[in-house]
Amino acid sequence: MTKRSQTDRDLASRLRLDIVSSAFEPESRLKFAELTKRYEVGIGTLREALTLLLSEGFVTVDAGKGFRVAPVSATELAEIIELYLELETRALEQAIKTGDDEWESTIVAAHHRLSLIESLPWEKRMERHEEWVERHREFHESLISACNSQWLVRLRSIMFNQLDRYRFITKLATAGRDQIKLAEHLEIKNAVLARDVPKAKYLLEAHIRDTAQHAIQKLTPKP
Amino acid sequence: MTKRSQTDRDLASRLRLDIVSSAFEPESRLKFAELTKRYEVGIGTLREALTLLLSEGFVTVDAGKGFRVAPVSATELAEIIELYLELETRALEQAIKTGDDEWESTIVAAHHRLSLIESLPWEKRMERHEEWVERHREFHESLISACNSQWLVRLRSIMFNQLDRYRFITKLATAGRDQIKLAEHLEIKNAVLARDVPKAKYLLEAHIRDTAQHAIQKLTPKP
DNA sequence: AATAAAGATATTTTCGAAAATAAAGAGGTG
DNA sequence: CACCTCTTTATTTTCGAAAATATCTTTATT
């Protein structure tokens, strides 16, 4: 609920980022000997960060056999999508009902920052992909920032982070689709600011399902 | 996802139990000096367990100032209830649709074990309250055990555990209500076995809201 | 050659000492 | 007496050595 120790938070974040961006292969072992060198921290600190990632579903652990990177699969993605959609649309509905002027401005600002990157030509856009990830997260967070249920925000956040892994998989497949994404984000922003709950929900759902569809295709073994 | 280290799991469970049962006051500090004595484990081990409880929302942490027991409040309970209901009914619906014979027998068995305790006279029932908590959990888990979404089960589980804290608050207020609970659990079991999704959902929702209502009254400051 | 036992190696897990940080107390100054 | 500064105490956080556990290798046995 409150803030986590600084170094630890950073370590967990760095680890999470490395897992999301496939620096470690799914299901590969995470040995302390290697990790302590890579991140220049002690075993205990690492263990703590891994415990956090365990609860977020990024790693698994077998007693006595250590930690592994959690696997990815099309079926798991399907689970994540369904839950994420439910949580995100719920949070969005609440936010639309209770959001004030400041909430609106946060959305406008976050959307602007996101669209600046999404308008770039593909190469430039790819160069700044990490930044895009961050701004994309901020945009979606801004939409629901007026949601008054801390727990809803929290659970949604877990699923959003999980989706990051699958978004990374489709990273390269989005070449021609940037303009579509740009348009979708704009439409969602407008529907939310117009306080049109059904429309906002509908657009958001389509937006998310579309992205997911590409990841599922990549993950499903071809004949 | 996979199994956590044995000693750690136990430590986290013991700590969780002590928080749920108010052995530690909400918002009170959890000092390592005391905890190492109480649980007879090293600091690192404790830290790991607390990190797990942090992610489950049972403790909070301020960088440099250590861990505290998470607070309880009527508004938080309201959040938890709404989310738990959504997740539990979703999981239940899936389970009813995909559950097989074995799933049914697990439910029958779990319900039987639960009803044996709930049929006891109040004093006997209270003596075995910890056992009741366990059997109650097992019953509810059996209902959704055929749900095929691991993530749904997982998130539901987090919220169920959170509710444990609030169930404890109403523990003493349930004096005359044991027979009602017994009847409710029976009705839910029957609806589920009859594969009547709407009825099962309805009964489950009423059952949960009822329990929650008592906790909310206890938590709302009186004039 | 397959299996088992024993030994050697690799890895995780636990622990408490040392470093870093925050909180409390003591002493001085306007 | 309030307010700042320094010192002391209390507490958290980090770290790596030691214990426990798992894995691999070798050797012996049928």
Side-chain angles (χ1 to χ4, degrees):
Chain A
M1 234 51 170
T2 331
K3 221 188 285 177
R4 158 134 223 77
S5 146
Q6 198 52 53
T7 46
D8 244 43
R9 179 185 209 89
D10 286 359
L11 179 58
S13 298
R14 281 202 284 162
L15 257 161
R16 194 189 294 112
L17 201 66
D18 285 341
I19 290 172
V20 166
S21 61
S22 287
F24 303 110
E25 201 73 13
E27 300 186 66
S28 63
R29 290 193 63 185
L30 293 165
K31 297 187 192 173
F32 287 98
E34 292 170 18
L35 298 185
T36 45
K37 278 179 191 166
R38 188 184 229 266
Y39 299 103
E40 294 177 304
V41 292
I43 292 173
T45 313
L46 252 168
R47 200 152 237 286
E48 235 177 278
L50 286 170
T51 302
L52 211 56
L53 295 183
L54 173 71
S55 72
E56 293 180 11
F58 285 108
V59 303
T60 61
V61 69
D62 278 280
K65 294 186 175 182
F67 293 85
R68 285 177 177 276
V69 178
V72 291
S73 72
T75 59
E76 197 195 11
L77 172 55
E79 292 180 10
I80 294 171
I81 286 290
E82 292 309 317
L83 260 173
Y84 175 67
L85 275 175
E86 171 63 33
L87 298 171
E88 175 98 347
T89 51
R90 254 188 186 237
L92 185 64
E93 179 162 358
Q94 273 195 35
I96 289 177
K97 281 179 179 158
T98 67
D100 57 6
D101 293 0
E102 221 207 310
W103 166 69
E104 289 196 5
S105 358
T106 313
I107 294 173
V108 173
H111 177 264
H112 182 68
R113 283 165 52 81
L114 176 62
S115 66
L116 283 178
I117 287 198
E118 290 187 330
S119 309
L120 293 173
W122 188 67
E123 279 132 36
K124 291 266 178 196
R125 154 82 173 75
M126 274 301 142
E127 275 172 23
R128 295 168 68 185
H129 186 256
E130 295 214 351
E131 231 179 320
W132 177 84
V133 170
E134 189 52 28
R135 294 188 183 194
H136 182 249
R137 168 194 310 279
E138 280 169 10
F139 172 63
H140 278 274
E141 264 173 13
S142 77
L143 294 177
I144 59 146
S145 61
C147 168
N148 43 27
S149 167
Q150 290 308 302
W151 273 102
L152 181 50
V153 170
R154 195 170 168 156
L155 294 191
R156 183 213 78 103
S157 205
I158 294 175
M159 302 321 282
F160 186 94
N161 286 341
Q162 279 297 314
L163 274 181
D164 269 346
R165 290 189 86 182
Y166 294 93
R167 286 196 199 95
F168 186 86
I169 293 175
T170 53
K171 174 186 162 186
L172 298 173
T174 56
R177 308 185 46 71
D178 264 11
Q179 296 314 306
I180 298 172
K181 283 282 186 67
L182 180 62
E184 282 178 359
H185 286 141
L186 179 64
E187 278 193 304
I188 291 168
K189 185 204 73 172
N190 288 335
V192 170
L193 292 184
R195 312 265 172 165
D196 187 337
V197 173
K199 189 172 183 185
K201 276 189 165 185
Y202 170 79
L203 290 172
L204 194 64
E205 178 156 354
H207 172 63
I208 291 158
R209 283 200 193 279
D210 178 64
T211 317
Q213 204 46 49
H214 286 81
I216 286 177
Q217 277 170 14
K218 278 237 164 186
L219 284 167
T220 309
K222 284 146 203 160
Chain B
M1 235 50 169
T2 332
K3 222 188 285 178
R4 157 135 226 75
S5 143
Q6 199 53 51
T7 46
D8 244 43
R9 180 187 207 86
D10 285 357
L11 178 58
S13 298
R14 280 201 285 161
L15 257 161
R16 195 189 295 112
L17 202 66
D18 284 341
I19 290 172
V20 165
S21 61
S22 288
F24 303 111
E25 201 71 14
E27 299 185 69
S28 63
R29 288 192 65 186
L30 292 165
K31 297 188 191 172
F32 288 98
E34 292 169 18
L35 298 184
T36 45
K37 277 179 192 167
R38 188 184 229 264
Y39 298 103
E40 294 178 304
V41 293
I43 292 174
T45 313
L46 252 168
R47 200 152 236 286
E48 231 176 282
L50 285 171
T51 302
L52 210 57
L53 295 184
L54 175 70
S55 72
E56 293 179 11
F58 284 108
V59 302
T60 62
V61 69
D62 279 279
K65 294 186 177 184
F67 293 84
R68 284 177 178 276
V69 178
V72 292
S73 72
T75 59
E76 197 195 12
L77 171 56
E79 291 180 10
I80 293 170
I81 286 290
E82 292 310 316
L83 262 172
Y84 175 67
L85 274 175
E86 172 63 35
L87 298 172
E88 175 98 348
T89 51
R90 255 186 184 238
L92 184 64
E93 179 161 359
Q94 273 196 35
I96 288 177
K97 280 178 178 157
T98 67
D100 57 6
D101 292 0
E102 223 206 309
W103 167 69
E104 289 196 5
S105 358
T106 313
I107 294 174
V108 173
H111 177 264
H112 182 67
R113 283 165 53 79
L114 176 62
S115 66
L116 283 179
I117 288 199
E118 290 188 328
S119 308
L120 294 173
W122 188 65
E123 279 132 38
K124 291 266 179 198
R125 154 82 174 74
M126 275 301 143
E127 275 172 24
R128 296 169 67 185
H129 187 256
E130 295 214 349
E131 231 179 320
W132 177 85
V133 170
E134 190 51 30
R135 294 188 182 193
H136 182 249
R137 166 193 312 278
E138 279 169 12
F139 172 62
H140 277 274
E141 263 172 14
S142 76
L143 294 177
I144 59 147
S145 62
C147 168
N148 44 28
S149 168
Q150 291 306 304
W151 273 103
L152 181 50
V153 170
R154 193 169 169 157
L155 295 192
R156 183 213 77 104
S157 208
I158 294 174
M159 302 320 282
F160 186 93
N161 285 341
Q162 279 297 315
L163 274 182
D164 269 347
R165 290 189 86 183
Y166 295 92
R167 285 196 200 94
F168 186 86
I169 293 175
T170 53
K171 173 186 165 190
L172 298 174
T174 55
R177 306 187 48 72
D178 265 11
Q179 296 314 307
I180 299 173
K181 283 284 186 64
L182 180 63
E184 282 177 0
H185 287 141
L186 178 64
E187 278 193 306
I188 292 169
K189 186 203 72 173
N190 288 336
V192 170
L193 293 184
R195 312 264 174 167
D196 187 337
V197 174
K199 188 171 183 184
K201 275 188 166 187
Y202 171 79
L203 290 172
L204 194 62
E205 179 156 353
H207 172 63
I208 292 157
R209 283 200 193 280
D210 177 65
T211 317
Q213 203 47 50
H214 286 81
I216 287 178
Q217 276 170 12
K218 278 238 168 191
L219 285 166
T220 308
K222 285 148 206 161

